[in-house]
Amino acid sequence: ALVPHVLEFDPVRLEQQGLFLAQEAVQLAQFQQFELALSRAQLASQLAPDSPQVWLLLGRLYLQLDDSDRALSAVLKARTLDPEDPAAMFDLGTVYFQRQEYEQAVESIQAGLEISSSVPGALFDLGNAYFLLNRYDDAIAEYEKAIDLDSNFWPAVNNIGLVLYEQGDVDGALQHWQDAVDITEEQEAEPILAVAVALYA
């Protein structure tokens, strides 16, 4: 009798291959090759379905490609696999922010900051969510926390100027925008443009 040959799958080897594909996806994403990165990350999530990092990567790529529904699904999967990972909570906040669900963004980012409070980028994102909820004092407080952690974090300095401008404090806004220009040594267009617009007005 002839018995058909059946391939034996090695789950450990498959997972290693999945993680290797995920590394390739990261490298491709660094070169803005998001479509190629996505295809590798999708396969990686099938080969290493228990890796929260692979699901986070997949969520970030979907977000880059403006597919917030799939991004949300992937990041929620990552959070299910590792409920204590602050990166998953921060990414979830980013997804909610892009979906303009600012209250959920605030909740997710705050949950991540309860575990890891020294992340300037997360504090900045929280400030942005507060800003779009018109909670200006809370926004400024979060931006200032980010600056306390990284004095060269010019986007937070810049956005304090934005909040102050919205509140009618043009002089305070100009000072913060000029400070942001000084930090970046005139390498970033945003604070320079803000200074120009305020001076013109």
Side-chain angles (χ1 to χ4, degrees):
L2 296 176
V3 179
H5 177 68
V6 179
L7 290 174
E8 293 185 10
F9 291 101
D10 182 350
V12 174
R13 188 172 179 184
L14 287 174
E15 184 176 9
Q16 289 173 344
Q17 184 65 32
L19 296 176
F20 177 75
L21 284 169
Q23 290 175 349
E24 280 189 358
V26 169
Q27 292 170 349
L28 287 166
Q30 290 173 342
F31 291 101
Q32 311 293 310
Q33 300 291 319
F34 297 120
E35 293 284 353
L36 291 173
L38 180 62
S39 63
R40 283 164 174 76
Q42 287 170 328
L43 183 54
S45 70
Q46 294 174 14
L47 297 175
D50 295 328
S51 170
Q53 298 308 314
V54 169
W55 288 102
L56 280 182
L57 171 63
L58 187 59
R60 290 169 185 166
L61 289 171
Y62 279 132
L63 206 57
Q64 284 288 339
L65 296 168
D66 294 323
D67 190 342
S68 65
D69 290 338
R70 288 184 177 172
L72 180 61
S73 178
V75 175
L76 286 172
K77 174 74 172 177
R79 187 171 182 185
T80 300
L81 291 169
D82 188 356
E84 297 302 313
D85 182 10
M89 298 172 200
F90 296 147
D91 281 11
L92 192 56
T94 300
V95 173
Y96 283 131
F97 188 90
Q98 186 153 329
R99 293 165 63 94
Q100 298 181 355
E101 298 172 11
Y102 303 122
E103 291 287 357
Q104 292 92 325
V106 166
E107 290 175 13
S108 297
I109 297 169
Q110 284 177 333
L113 288 168
E114 287 176 11
I115 299 170
S116 181
S117 61
S118 300
V119 183
L123 292 163
F124 176 71
D125 290 345
L126 182 57
N128 289 339
Y130 281 139
F131 175 70
L132 291 171
L133 289 168
N134 297 323
R135 294 172 58 179
Y136 296 138
D137 291 341
D138 291 330
I140 289 175
E142 299 306 324
Y143 294 144
E144 287 176 342
K145 289 177 190 175
I147 296 165
D148 288 343
L149 291 170
D150 181 359
S151 60
N152 291 321
F153 192 34
W154 72 265
V157 177
N158 183 76
N159 281 17
I160 290 175
L162 185 61
V163 174
L164 293 175
Y165 193 79
E166 287 293 316
Q167 293 178 318
D169 183 358
V170 177
D171 290 338
L174 269 170
Q175 182 59 57
H176 279 83
W177 288 332
Q178 188 58 58
D179 291 345
V181 170
D182 293 343
I183 291 169
T184 65
E185 298 178 353
E186 300 190 5
Q187 298 299 310
E188 296 292 340
E190 187 175 347
I192 297 172
L193 179 61
V195 169
V197 168
L199 289 173
Y200 180 78

